[in-house]
């Protein structure tokens, strides 16, 4: 099955998260760039939600997906991260507080998913990994996607 | 990029939802069955959350993914659906009540994601589609995944 | 096992809800009155949360547990009901919207649970019953307790 | 006490909501325009959350605060409205579903609250009014503010 | 009033929590075992939600209510605990984070509440105690019940 | 624009919070006292929600807005604070846990907002300030109001 990126920013972001920086196909990466998307991939794991947020924000800034000193962009990314975390945590955006931990592959993708130029740029944050007790193997998969205009 | 199903039930379910009943590769479907997974795919759209829940439950029962008359199985599926809806709605599991609508491709996958036999069967519900105002085009993508033991 | 009411308003309210208007022991009822508690018991079932709220409010007013025309008392009761519903619904205070229904026995108890007179009167709402799919038998038990000063 | 608008978009929006279209001082309105803010004021009341959302969206579009056909702008406004509704509903974004109703004065303000041009335009939605039982007088005040980049 | 256990797993669990390990009648305990229920009782108190979760999990494992090394069983118990905590916390599953503390009596009961063998085993977690400011006496009662298939 | 306090306790509290202890007009303060309201104003900032709660409670007690040793009054205030925090946090009552911080001006106002004596005293907590990343400037305004009978 030959998977190619298209204008659907969320689907692309989820593809990057599902396969992670190690497994993702380089052809896919190249095609995504050709289509005008800017993005990064990474991995993070913690019992502290704030560390997950910080890891994604840092990766997005270091890789030029969002501008470092513009609050507007940080604000757009922050809300996309929080929305993605709702999918992972499913109810209360809490990890260690309720005795659970995550190990996540993430992606942040920025680009124009709509045909009309007036719709401008959007940002998607996708998360894929495991959530569970802080014990090896006592965990199942979790997924989240957050999308925002930027 | 050649995507194949493996023991990761959530990743498989999300793959089925991302590509939907129309786009999914038949090779992938066959491989998934060979690995012992039982599953179904479908599409549903509504402003009423209860209709989304009903559509997924009906599909899972009609396709033999869960047993019709065993409450235990309905209970496992119901919670997996609700968890997946948290990812799609990101905060309040409400659609029309807060003036928004979804159009979703979904999958329900059942099988054994863990090596140990003691872990038994699990069920995954994956959702992919769009959420937004009840106006064509005023919407963005949304994703959800719920996993439960069954 | 001989259960008697004491100053613990929440435990008393839960006892009334667990046994309901039909099963509760008349000795218990008498003892509760002797201790100065005012209360009512009832049953209600619906897929609509607002009907559950209305049934409890109406019972409390008709039985003189709260005063009819004092908003202050309605406000205290309303929040106690909402808190009890959190226990029953466990996440989203939604019933039919997420395709589920409840059948509940309830109690509303008013009195002085604290020794100090300055602590005044409090109100407790207890709920006990079943929650589940709108199909006979496809349900499990649920419990909620809300307590407020009045 | 002489209240004047300044760059704080949220404070300005809340001022407009607190005083409403009838009580607000025309001098304040003029000063707000001079500072470059675009805005509208209105009133809405309902037991249905979706009607509140629709009333605010319609007012913002009719008064040119957001562009009619650009989803990006509707998306920014929608999330600001939802955030403001969190302040009004304090927990569950539900009205009639939990047997309560609101009567609200609202404002939508658009402009540049930050000195740096890179921060661009933001939008603020402020709500002020009453929430309570659907009975005259059985209600207390409620306030909400939502802010988003646009 | 002579209270006896019956097939209602939630009611039984709540009875054990309401009376606690110290007050519960030994006849009740014996009857519960005769009916095939496996269970444990305990006490825990903390400002940290994760410690409450850990105390209940540990008690359930030590007393053989769930199997130590089977994630499936831990998963079922974890969700039942979280649901019970919703009843205790009524909105946000937070304790010390919002400056409050709990002192709880708990029970975990496992057995077959349904007549049909196909429904298998279920697990109930009941909590009863006090919640309030971390100051002696500044607290009121709280209750929670979570039920899950196992 | 000449703003004067009236019976609307929430509007008055919000006025005090919007202008803060430094900017508020002394005439307004005097008028508020004449109308029989007891109140305090203060400032607090933190990444820890519990510190915000504690700062407001301490101010209310030190300034005689609530009685020090009456749990009933602490309970009324606590819930008003939590409701106000819902407006500020808009979804999850979390600050540092999700990598954000607040700087708030607050007020606590106590008095009789209703004409009927039977409605007694009520308490309002208003919050106004900024919320955002723990980086100077990376923040926007936030508002919350909680009202309770006392």
């Amino acid at each position: 099955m030959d998977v190619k990126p298209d204008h659907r920013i969320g689907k692309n972001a989820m593809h990057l998260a599902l396969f992670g920086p190690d497994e993702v196909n380089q052809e896919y990466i190249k095609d995504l760039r050709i289509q005008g998307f800017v993005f990064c991939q990474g991995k993070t794991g913690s019992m502290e939600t704030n560390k997950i947020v910080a890891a994604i924000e840092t990766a997005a800034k270091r890789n030029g997906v969002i501008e470092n000193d513009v609050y507007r962009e940080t604000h757009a990314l922050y809300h996309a991260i929080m929305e993605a975390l709702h999918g992972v945590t499913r109810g209360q955006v809490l990890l260690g507080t309720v005795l659970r931990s995550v190990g996540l592959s993430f992606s942040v993708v920025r680009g124009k998913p709509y045909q009309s130029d007036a719709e401008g740029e959007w940002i998607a944050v996708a998360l894929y990994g495991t959530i569970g007790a802080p014990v090896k193997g006592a965990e199942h998969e979790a997924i989240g996607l957050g999308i925002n205009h930027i």
Side-chain angles (χ1 to χ4, degrees), chain A:
Chain A
M1 181 168 195
D2 195 30
V3 181
K4 285 184 183 169
D6 58 22
H7 69 285
R8 287 174 287 187
I9 191 171
K11 192 175 185 179
N12 296 342
M14 187 48 63
H15 186 90
L16 292 179
L18 281 171
F19 291 92
D22 308 328
E23 283 182 77
V24 75
N25 188 300
Q26 290 311 310
E27 203 66 29
Y28 187 92
I29 292 288
K30 219 174 69 184
D31 279 4
L32 202 52
R33 286 216 181 92
I34 288 168
Q35 293 200 31
F37 289 104
V38 180
F39 56 91
C40 68
Q41 284 179 289
K43 285 186 177 187
T44 179
S46 182
M47 289 190 77
E48 292 169 58
T49 316
N50 57 324
K51 289 196 177 162
I52 304 295
V53 177
I56 301 170
E57 283 189 1
T58 302
K61 285 176 180 175
R62 282 214 186 127
N63 290 280
V65 181
I66 68 163
E67 277 193 58
N68 224 342
D69 304 323
V70 182
Y71 171 49
R72 177 189 190 77
E73 303 218 336
T74 304
H75 184 253
L77 175 60
Y78 180 78
H79 281 272
I81 294 171
M82 289 306 295
E83 296 198 359
L85 282 172
H86 270 94
V88 168
T89 56
R90 292 146 294 130
Q92 306 273 330
V93 184
L94 298 169
L95 298 176
T97 312
V98 290
L99 201 60
R100 59 183 179 176
S101 175
V102 290
L104 295 170
S105 155
F106 66 84
S107 74
V108 185
V109 181
R110 178 181 185 152
K112 298 189 173 178
Y114 299 96
Q115 283 200 314
S116 161
D117 258 2
E119 297 300 355
E121 282 186 311
W122 291 66
I123 195 161
V125 173
L127 309 173
Y128 169 70
T130 55
I131 191 165
V135 174
K136 180 79 186 156
E139 66 214 1
H140 60 64
E141 292 159 282
I143 273 176
L145 174 69
I147 289 185
N148 208 354
H149 61 283
I150 194 164

